[in-house]
């Protein structure tokens, strides 16, 4: 039990930190009645759902407790009508579940809103239920919901399934399910007895809401296996929502239990500092007003001096100049933006800087934003447009229309900048590593020191490494290793550094290049990650203005030893991984990938190929990328590993979230924080973990994302 | 540089061991926390006047033109320097990274205040200052989703009186005008102290919903 409370505390800390940002009221001015969060973390009443959607894009974390039951739920409003939830709960044992609800119809003047929902449709099925629910706001402050449920929601006063008219098969709900869970339980959907449920929300004022409901869930499992006593189908509750950032609830449940819930709500579409606290940009210098005109770059000596001077000014503004040259009346500048998340903002700021620094006879700027030493695109901007549109109405849209995007695979500008930054950089920082949901303990953690260095041979050729040493923590207590017949490429991951207390996290050289127009390449070699050393190579085809990109990756890797030194190890030879003998494990893996950037902010990715355990299959990912840098997405991998062989979860899947630090801090930074929920470390569908895969490096510098971020051009 | 959320945030709270070395100079986890606290206290962006008593002699001694500015909701005052001219638009900036641009005395843009005004069309508003009138005004804002939000306001300007205005030992005879603007769910009121040549010596103008009003005096 103690460990569960530490999990709750931990989840609370995560939620609080996510919520640290958008706590300022957005004040949309609409008097829309927000959804009430249930004990399941979903929109509804207390335990029962309602046909209310959350605001588009909203993210929430909900913790609830009553009796022996504990639930922690992460929710995301994927689309205006689609709500998705992931839950980690304690029923009689730890369990995870996925829910989805789709709003079929909005509320009309007479017609109620109608939604269809699936609870626990992908897990072990302990909460498995399906429902239709209708909700009507009968007076400005009273909202009534009623519905019909199957599965757990059909266990109180259930009646023979009305769908039996269509097919008698609907009348019985099959109980067989894979022991490992994790598959879609489609054979059970809308089968077995059905029952009615319903409830009412009564809003006392903006902050307080009183709730009452009739629950059609008999809590059979809890009654059988825990001390839970269910004496009534009626639940009562009250919620307090003082602002748009959190909601607290207290309940009297099933005639016997007191329950509590807390929900933290984050709106990724808003930012507490709105446009951000970035320093004001250097104003545009208009040629007709320039008193101290920059001299023209006539002689080679003047050119070299001018490029050095430009590089120094740029570095004060967060840019690293790679090189510059003048051809006719065009100034071409290749640079790396190290400060601004949005390349569009970098382009806008650098253009204004150049109006101050460029000779008077220059009328066109060609900017080549780069990352990892390779140019991502070429953006052509007329100096006259900068002069004309600065602080003008509608300047953002007008300037976007006048800019040209192109590929930048050509040679670097003629005069390279001699960067005074040392090629060798080092650092020491504390780290905290947390392992979640390892099956026995919800969370384990280590605190220690990390030493890292990077040595830049050339901007696109970098040797980097890091070494960690644990100071305190409990990650050395490795729990049970789950049984499997697959080579232990990931499931024994907890053993890395467990005994040695640390070691070489990574130590490898990476080389980025532009082999041709629209083409990008990467080669990484060395100790790539904790588990594997080897060589990884990748090519990406991504035209600067294209929504589709194609990639291929080919890797050879050897499995590293648990002490995280330079040595290697074989795969274990028994199902419990107590015996290691034989040859070191090595494997050739690779994928072909397709990426598609939809107009509505969604990015889809499909990778097909061979995974680390030698299995073949495909990974499907879908992320929603907000223009301000927030990303929320999910993925799953299906390979030729049988579900029984894979182990708990049946196949690899997860939810991931990436938070841009500039949204939290307000000041510009390219750093992000990312975390993945729910991925169980198993051996099937496992890939090499490599930082700096090409699509992530290239995407920000291409037209699609620049257009999304163009609002920041004049910021 | 990608970190796990947990590593980033809790790493920062480990005051026991400080991050060091050139690679850690931009350790965002540390600045993240300071940034959060800073922005809550509002201390980040409060301009200061530097404590120098403002006299005509001090003003005359400056090479650049000066503008005394206050952000009324933040109770903050600063002296801005004229840093650039683009046609009829003049940009003034403070040393701590704030800037304001005016066109013939009317605010057209702000930068560094958080909720910033990105641009606006003031030509009809300028015309209305010659004695009053009705006009439309479109203001561009950059929202939290990095998108431009254009809001159009219906405005009317009226003369409310005349005033003898003294700014640091100098007195100007001014007409006081009020420009009242509303859109479907918001309204603001700008006030201008304008002399006979059309120079606005003092003004109170709306910047944005979160930043509120700006007050300025030409020095």
């Amino acid at each position: 039990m103690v460990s569960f409370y530490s999990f709750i505390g931990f989840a609370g800390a995560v939620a609080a930190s996510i919520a640290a940002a958008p706590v300022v009221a957005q004040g949309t001015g609409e008097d829309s009645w927000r959804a009430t969060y249930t004990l399941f973390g979903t929109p509804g009443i207390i335990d029962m759902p309602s046909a209310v959607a959350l605001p588009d894009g909203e993210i929430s974390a909900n913790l609830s407790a009553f009796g022996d039951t504990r639930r922690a739920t992460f929710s995301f409003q994927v689309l205006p009508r689609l709500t998705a939830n992931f839950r980690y709960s304690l029923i009689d044992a730890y369990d995870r579940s996925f829910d989805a609800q789709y709003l079929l119809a909005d509320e009309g003047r007479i017609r109620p809103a109608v939604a269809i929902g699936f609870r626990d449709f992908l897990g072990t099925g302990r909460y498995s239920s399906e429902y239709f629910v209708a909700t009507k706001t009968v007076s400005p402050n009273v909202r009534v919901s009623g519905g019909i449920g199957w599965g757990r929601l059909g266990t109180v006063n259930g009646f023979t399934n009305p769908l039996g008219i269509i097919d008698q098969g609907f009348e019985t709900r099959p109980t067989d399910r894979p022991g490992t869970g994790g598959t879609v339980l489609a054979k059970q959907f809308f089968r077995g007895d059905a029952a009615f449920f319903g409830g009412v929300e009564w809003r006392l004022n903006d902050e307080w809401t009183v709730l009452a409901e009739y629950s059609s869930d008999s809590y059979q499992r809890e009654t059988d296996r825990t001390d839970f006593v269910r004496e009534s189908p009626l639940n009562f509750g009250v919620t307090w929502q003082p602002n748009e950032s959190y909601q607290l609830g207290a309940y009297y449940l099933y005639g016997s239990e007191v329950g509590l819930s807390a929900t933290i709500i984050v709106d990724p579409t808003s930012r507490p500092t709105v446009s951000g606290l970035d320093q004001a940009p250097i104003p545009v210098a208009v040629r007709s007003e320039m008193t101290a005109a920059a001299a023209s770059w006539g002689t080679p000596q003047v050119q070299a001096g001018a490029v050095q001077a430009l590089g120094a000014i740029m570095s004060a503004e967060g840019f690293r100049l790679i090189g510059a040259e003048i051809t006719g009346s065009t100034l071409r500048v290749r640079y790396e933006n190290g400060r601004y998340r949005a390349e569009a903002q970098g382009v806008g700021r650098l253009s204004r800087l150049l109006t101050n620094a460029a000779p008077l006879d220059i009328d066109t700027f060609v900017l080549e934003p780069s990352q990892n030493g390779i140019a991502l695109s070429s953006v052509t901007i007329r100096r006259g447009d900068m002069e004309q549109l600065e602080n003008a109405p509608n300047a953002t849209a007008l300037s976007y229309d006048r800019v040209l995007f192109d590929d930048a695979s050509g040679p670097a500008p003629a005069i390279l900048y001699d960067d005074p930054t040392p090629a060798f950089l080092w650092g020491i920082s504390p780290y905290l590593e947390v392992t979640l949901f390892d099956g026995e303990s919800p969370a384990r953690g280590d605190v220690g020191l990390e030493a890292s260095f990077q040595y830049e041979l050339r901007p696109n050729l970098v040797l980097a490494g890091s070494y960690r040493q644990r100071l305190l923590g409990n990650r050395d207590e490795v729990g049970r290793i789950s049984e499997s017949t697959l080579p232990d490429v990931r499931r024994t991951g907890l053993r890395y550094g467990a005994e040695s207390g640390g070691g070489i996290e990574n130590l490898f050289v990476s080389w980025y290049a532009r082999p041709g127009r629209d083409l990008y390449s990467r080669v990484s070699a060395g100790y790539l990650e904790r588990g594997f050393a080897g060589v990884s190579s990748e090519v990406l085809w991504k035209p600067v203005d294209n929504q589709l990109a194609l990639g291929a990756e080919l890797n050879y890797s050897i499995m590293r030893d648990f002490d995280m030194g330079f040595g290697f190890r074989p795969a274990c030879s028994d199902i419990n991984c107590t015996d290691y003998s034989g040859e070191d494990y090595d494997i050739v893996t690779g994928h072909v990938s397709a990426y598609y950037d939809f107009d509505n902010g969604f990015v889809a990715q499909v990778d097909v190929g061979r995974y680390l355990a030698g299995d073949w299959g495909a990974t499907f990912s879908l992320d929603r990328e907000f223009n301000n840098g927030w990303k929320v997405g999910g993925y799953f991998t299906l390979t030729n590993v049988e579900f029984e062989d894979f182990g708990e979860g049946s196949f690899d899947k997860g939810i991931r979230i990436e938070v841009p630090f500039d949204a939290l801090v307000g000041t510009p930074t390219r750093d992000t924080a990312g975390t993945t929920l729910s991925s169980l470390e198993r051996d099937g569908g496992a890939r090499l973990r490599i930082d700096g895969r090409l699509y992530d490096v290239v995407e920000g510098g291409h037209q699609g994302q620049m257009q999304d971020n163009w609002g920041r051009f004049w910021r | 540089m990608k970190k796990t959320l947990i590593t980033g945030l809790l790493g920062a709270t480990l005051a026991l061991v400080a991050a060091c070395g050139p690679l850690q100079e931009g350790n965002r986890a540390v600045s993240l926390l300071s940034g959060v606290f800073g922005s809550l206290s509002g201390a980040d962006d409060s301009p200061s006047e530097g404590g120098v008593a403002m006299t005509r002699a001090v003003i005359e001694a400056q090479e650049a033109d000066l503008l005394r500015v206050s952000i009324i909701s933040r109770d903050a005052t600063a002296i801005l320097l004229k840093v650039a001219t683009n046609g009829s638009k003049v940009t003034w900036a403070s040393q701590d990274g704030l800037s304001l641009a005016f066109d013939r005395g009317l605010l057209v843009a702000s930068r560094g205040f958080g909720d910033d005004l990105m641009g606006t069309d003031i030509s009809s508003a300028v015309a209305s200052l010659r004695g009053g009138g009705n006009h439309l005004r479109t203001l561009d804002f950059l929202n939290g989703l990095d998108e431009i939000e254009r809001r159009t306001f219906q405005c009317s300007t009226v003369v409310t009186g005349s005033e003898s205005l003294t700014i640091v030992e100098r007195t100007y005879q001014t007409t006081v005008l009020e420009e009242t603007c509303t859109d479907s769910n918001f309204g603001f009121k700008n006030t201008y102290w304008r002399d006979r040549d059309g120079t606005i010596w003092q003004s109170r103008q709306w910047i944005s919903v979160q930043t509120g009003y700006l007050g300025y005096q030409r020095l």
Side-chain angles (χ1 to χ4, degrees), chain A residues 33-53:
Chain A
W33 188 351
R34 298 170 59 84
T36 303
Y37 287 88
T38 64
L39 290 163
F40 281 95
T42 54
I45 304 158
I46 298 170
D47 238 4
M48 298 296 110
S50 68
V52 179

Side-chain angles (χ1 to χ4, degrees), chain A residues 10 14 17-18 24 268-269 271-281 283-284 286 289 341 387 390-396 425-432 434 447 449 452-454 626-628 658 661 664-665 667-669 671-674 708 711-712 714-715, chain B residues 1-7 9-11 14 17-24 26-29 31-32 35-36 44-45 83-87 89 91 96-99 101 108-109 111-116 118-121 140 142-148 150 185 210:
Chain A
F10 168 75
V14 174
S17 54
I18 293 176
V24 177
T269 66
R271 207 165 27 207
T273 54
V274 196
S275 79
L277 299 174
D278 318 34
Q279 298 245 315
V284 169
V286 182
E289 314 245 2
R341 172 181 50 76
E387 295 169 344
E390 185 192 30
N391 298 329
N394 207 19
T396 300
L425 296 173
W426 61 276
I428 296 174
S429 68
Y431 76 86
L432 180 124
V434 176
V447 175
L449 282 177
S452 52
F453 80 96
Q454 72 170 51
F626 294 88
N627 291 348
N628 59 7
E658 191 173 306
F661 270 22
L664 304 185
V665 194
T667 50
T669 168
D671 289 354
T672 60
D708 290 343
R712 297 201 77 75
W714 289 106
R715 181 59 187 82
Chain B
M1 186 179 291
K2 194 176 279 192
K3 293 172 189 158
T4 67
L5 191 63
I6 320 306
T7 315
L9 287 170
L10 293 180
L14 294 172
V17 262
C20 62
L23 263 185
Q24 295 302 331
N27 193 324
R28 301 310 309 181
S31 41
L32 169 67
V36 167
D44 260 27
D45 42 10
V83 291
T85 307
N86 184 349
K89 290 177 216 150
T91 302
D96 55 353
L98 303 172
S99 81
V108 290
R111 294 291 185 273
F113 291 87
D115 191 1
D116 278 321
M118 298 303 287
T120 176
D121 182 5
D140 298 348
L142 179 59
N143 68 18
L145 209 47
D146 283 342
E147 288 162 358
I148 297 293
R150 308 204 75 200
N185 53 20
Q210 259 195 39

Side-chain angles (χ1 to χ4, degrees), chain A residues 330-394:
Chain A
T330 299
L331 170 62
R332 181 162 72 105
V333 176
R334 188 173 284 190
Y335 68 99
E336 212 162 284
N337 152 30
R339 183 177 292 172
Y340 302 99
R341 172 181 50 76
E343 290 290 355
Q345 188 173 4
V347 167
R349 294 214 162 210
L350 184 53
S351 304
R352 275 172 285 198
L353 190 155
L354 292 179
T355 60
N356 290 269
L360 285 178
D361 55 351
I362 297 298
D363 58 22
T364 306
F365 304 134
V366 175
L367 306 191
E368 296 181 347
S370 309
Q371 291 296 337
N372 296 52
I374 49 169
L376 308 179
S377 61
S378 135
V379 186
T380 303
I381 296 174
R382 278 203 304 268
R383 190 174 189 169
D385 291 336
M386 296 302 295
E387 295 169 344
Q388 190 193 344
L389 295 175
E390 185 192 30
N391 298 329
N394 207 19

Side-chain angles (χ1 to χ4, degrees), chain A residues 116-130:
Chain A
I116 182 175
F118 300 84
R119 252 181 208 174
D120 195 5
F121 66 96
L122 206 61
T124 47
R126 285 172 191 150
Y127 282 133
S128 162
S129 43
E130 304 81 45

Side-chain angles (χ1 to χ4, degrees), chain A residues 416-678:
Chain A
L416 293 179
Y417 174 56
D418 185 14
D419 191 350
T421 312
F424 182 85
L425 296 173
W426 61 276
I428 296 174
S429 68
Y431 76 86
L432 180 124
E433 181 173 342
V434 176
T435 309
L436 289 179
F437 311 151
D438 68 358
E440 281 187 4
S441 169
R444 294 176 198 276
D446 270 1
V447 175
L449 282 177
E450 179 179 284
S452 52
F453 80 96
Q454 72 170 51
Y455 181 64
E456 186 182 292
L457 297 131
R458 297 175 54 180
N460 62 340
L461 183 63
V462 175
L463 173 67
S466 62
Y467 185 95
R468 277 188 177 184
Q469 186 59 51
R470 176 173 65 222
L471 297 177
L472 52 112
N474 63 349
R475 276 194 61 253
D476 54 339
E477 303 157 14
V478 177
R480 177 181 61 90
I481 300 294
S482 57
E483 294 179 1
S484 174
T485 53
L486 295 172
D488 60 320
V489 293
R490 289 291 181 220
R491 84 190 128 100
T492 51
L494 283 171
R495 288 189 179 160
Y496 279 95
E499 276 181 32
S500 58
I504 299 164
E505 285 290 314
N506 53 61
L507 177 65
F508 63 96
V509 62
S510 51
W511 173 57
Y512 288 84
R514 295 292 316 265
R517 189 177 168 85
D518 302 331
L519 291 176
Y520 302 81
S521 70
R522 169 186 63 82
V523 177
S524 312
Y527 291 79
L528 300 168
E529 51 139 305
R530 235 174 229 197
F532 290 89
V535 182
S536 166
S537 58
E538 188 187 359
V539 282
L540 177 74
W541 172 82
K542 189 177 190 314
V544 75
D545 57 350
N546 217 348
Q547 291 174 287
L548 175 72
L550 301 171
E553 184 177 303
L554 187 63
N555 314 309
Y556 169 75
S557 56
I558 315 176
M559 197 143 65
R560 290 181 62 191
D561 209 346
F562 291 126
D563 64 6
M564 293 170 71
F566 289 103
F568 305 106
R569 68 175 176 91
C572 62
S573 42
D574 60 336
I575 57 169
N576 293 315
C577 282
T578 50
D579 181 46
Y580 288 88
S581 55
E583 305 243 315
D584 291 341
Y585 183 82
D586 65 336
I587 183 93
V588 173
T589 61
H591 290 85
V592 290
S593 306
Y595 311 80
Y596 195 82
D597 184 359
F598 292 93
D599 291 323
N600 58 1
F602 283 84
V603 175
Q605 181 181 347
V606 180
D607 312 284
V608 181
R610 192 178 191 216
Y611 295 81
L612 283 170
D615 46 337
W616 293 81
T619 302
F620 302 86
S621 326
L622 187 65
D623 291 272
R624 181 166 181 187
E625 302 189 354
F626 294 88
N627 291 348
N628 59 7
W630 282 78
K631 282 186 200 174
V632 184
Y635 67 90
F636 64 91
T637 300
L638 294 170
T639 71
N640 59 352
V641 169
E642 298 287 330
F643 289 167
E644 294 86 63
D645 294 335
F646 181 89
E648 190 187 340
S650 295
F651 59 93
D652 190 34
K653 56 189 168 299
I655 294 168
R656 57 197 177 198
I657 177 167
E658 191 173 306
V659 183
F661 270 22
D662 65 344
L664 304 185
V665 194
T667 50
T669 168
R670 292 178 63 81
D671 289 354
T672 60
T675 194
T676 302
L677 290 171
S678 89

